[in-house]
Amino acid sequence: MPLGSIVMPAPAKLPGNVDSVIIWPMAVSESAKSSSVEPAHPEQVDGSINGPDTVSKLHALEARLEQLGSLMVAYSGGVDSAFLAATAHRVLGNRMLAVLADSPSLARRDMEQACAFARDLKMPLYVMETEELDRPEYQRNDANRCFHCKNELFASMESLGGKLGFTHIAYGMNADDTKDFRPGQRAAEEHAVLAPLAEAGLTKIEIRALAKAAGYPLWDRPAAPCLSSRVEYGRTVTREVLEQVEKGEESLRQLGFRELRVRHHGELARVEIARSELPRALSMEMLDAISAALRQAGFQYVTLDCSGFRSGAMNEILSVDVLTRRGA
């Protein structure tokens, strides 16, 4: 989809006492601001998800963003928040700002990809250091860890928005997420953070299809939640633990695996690999390579989960009472 004429000046200093790690301001032409944010080729939207209906949801998303007037987007570089930020950028031009939270729980690989996507779109980006890892309630790593993380992020964004004149904050929750255990949703509610993708009824598969039709290379990027989500509940989250997980997962990617998790159980690393990729892991040579890579990352023991990768596997031990509260 055309972005129109975009001029990228040198990084600017934010007003007041706001410290900027990275910020790319921009000037957008009227043609860019008025261009359609509909996919360039709507017919490319996968027919199995009812293409016309998906495009109508996109129009509803556009209208909602335009109605807001200006917006800060909590941006992680994942497909949901990236699609929301890119759409807001095209609808609102320089009246939007993507905010990326940088902390030890964000893998450097994900950080680099998020910055690269924003740079490619010439989208204004602010990288904010967050300090949730210094909070005891986050470190203790119970079922509400995600709440404390998002609470820190949204409070910091509220403060930044007040200095920059943004009155609305949004995040990338989609329609499917409303059915899952996500304590961060409670933090969003408490801070009045909007969820435009969910409001428009867009599901994960629809967002991927729209991102593909838009030509975004991240449309099929595997989900990449924070590194803390790999640590078993009750085990203290520390920088050293997160570095272990990150090093382990990156070493498995170097072995050619794409969708995976290294679950941290103390001295034991439980490796989850997508079932479609699992057969490749089951040779003696590859098993030896996986074990060597994880031991080099600092684990004493390594096990391969025969069930394969599944999102939210750490939540399987939570009681029904906790799960049905959805983080409340």
Side-chain angles (χ1 to χ4, degrees):
M1 296 177 281
L3 290 172
S5 175
I6 301 177
V7 179
M8 291 292 293
K13 182 175 178 60
L14 288 173
N17 60 354
V18 180
D19 294 323
S20 170
V21 180
I22 298 174
I23 184 167
W24 296 316
M26 67 176 204
V28 184
S29 70
E30 289 304 313
S31 62
K33 285 190 276 188
S34 63
S35 63
S36 170
V37 297
E38 180 180 324
H41 301 287
E43 68 276 5
Q44 293 178 359
V45 176
D46 189 343
S48 66
I49 58 168
N50 190 4
D53 183 54
T54 302
V55 173
S56 70
K57 292 179 183 180
L58 177 58
H59 289 317
L61 174 63
E62 295 176 20
R64 175 60 169 146
L65 295 173
E66 183 61 42
Q67 179 188 44
L68 293 174
S70 67
L71 184 67
M72 295 174 68
V73 176
Y75 170 66
S76 68
V79 64
D80 295 330
S81 69
F83 181 77
L84 174 61
T87 304
H89 172 230
R90 284 193 274 173
V91 171
L92 299 172
N94 59 2
R95 293 174 290 155
M96 71 79 63
L97 178 66
V99 178
L100 176 62
D102 184 20
S103 77
S105 66
L106 177 66
R108 296 304 88 184
R109 173 191 179 91
D110 296 334
M111 170 83 163
E112 292 166 5
Q113 290 179 337
C115 289
F117 181 74
R119 183 170 58 248
D120 290 345
L121 266 61
K122 300 181 175 60
M123 181 172 70
L125 173 67
Y126 178 74
V127 179
M128 169 190 293
E129 291 188 11
T130 55
E131 300 174 350
E132 67 275 6
L133 198 60
D134 295 331
R135 297 178 179 274
E137 60 270 27
Y138 181 88
Q139 291 179 350
R140 68 171 174 252
N141 193 24
D142 61 18
N144 280 317
R145 182 198 64 244
C146 189
F147 167 81
H148 300 301
C149 174
K150 289 295 189 291
N151 188 53
E152 163 87 12
L153 170 62
F154 296 145
S156 298
M157 290 182 69
E158 284 175 339
S159 177
L160 178 65
K163 295 169 182 175
L164 298 182
F166 288 95
T167 56
H168 301 292
I169 300 172
Y171 75 131
M173 183 177 77
N174 64 52
D176 293 327
D177 293 336
T178 61
K179 308 168 189 174
D180 198 3
F181 175 72
R182 294 179 183 267
Q185 293 177 13
R186 177 162 60 94
E189 292 170 2
E190 291 187 5
H191 291 273
V193 174
L194 306 172
L197 298 175
E199 287 181 30
L202 284 164
T203 64
K204 185 75 167 188
I205 192 171
E206 289 176 317
I207 292 166
R208 287 193 184 276
L210 289 168
K212 182 180 181 180
Y216 299 151
L218 52 64
W219 72 271
D220 64 343
R221 182 177 296 168
C226 77
L227 294 172
S228 298
S229 67
R230 277 67 148 177
V231 185
E232 64 180 339
Y233 287 123
R235 180 169 299 280
T236 302
V237 177
T238 65
R239 285 170 172 77
E240 292 72 25
V241 163
L242 299 179
E243 288 171 1
Q244 243 185 312
V245 171
E246 181 174 12
K247 185 177 179 181
E249 292 193 349
E250 188 57 35
S251 67
L252 295 186
R253 291 191 186 91
Q254 294 299 318
L255 291 174
F257 297 103
R258 186 168 185 268
E259 193 165 16
L260 56 94
R261 295 286 187 273
V262 171
R263 306 294 187 184
H264 197 298
H265 297 268
E267 293 184 332
L268 172 68
R270 178 166 57 86
V271 178
E272 297 178 9
I273 294 174
R275 291 183 71 89
S276 61
E277 301 180 77
L278 204 49
R280 183 170 167 269
L282 297 179
S283 70
M284 291 307 302
E285 293 77 12
M286 186 56 74
L287 288 171
D288 286 343
I290 291 172
S291 295
L294 271 297
R295 288 196 174 97
Q296 190 171 3
F299 293 98
Q300 187 68 34
Y301 306 103
V302 181
T303 185
L304 184 64
D305 193 319
C306 296
S307 296
F309 164 74
R310 60 241 184 247
S311 181
M314 286 301 196
N315 293 335
E316 293 170 355
I317 68 166
L318 297 178
S319 68
V320 173
D321 177 61
V322 170
L323 292 172
T324 53
R325 280 188 277 127
R326 301 195 187 283

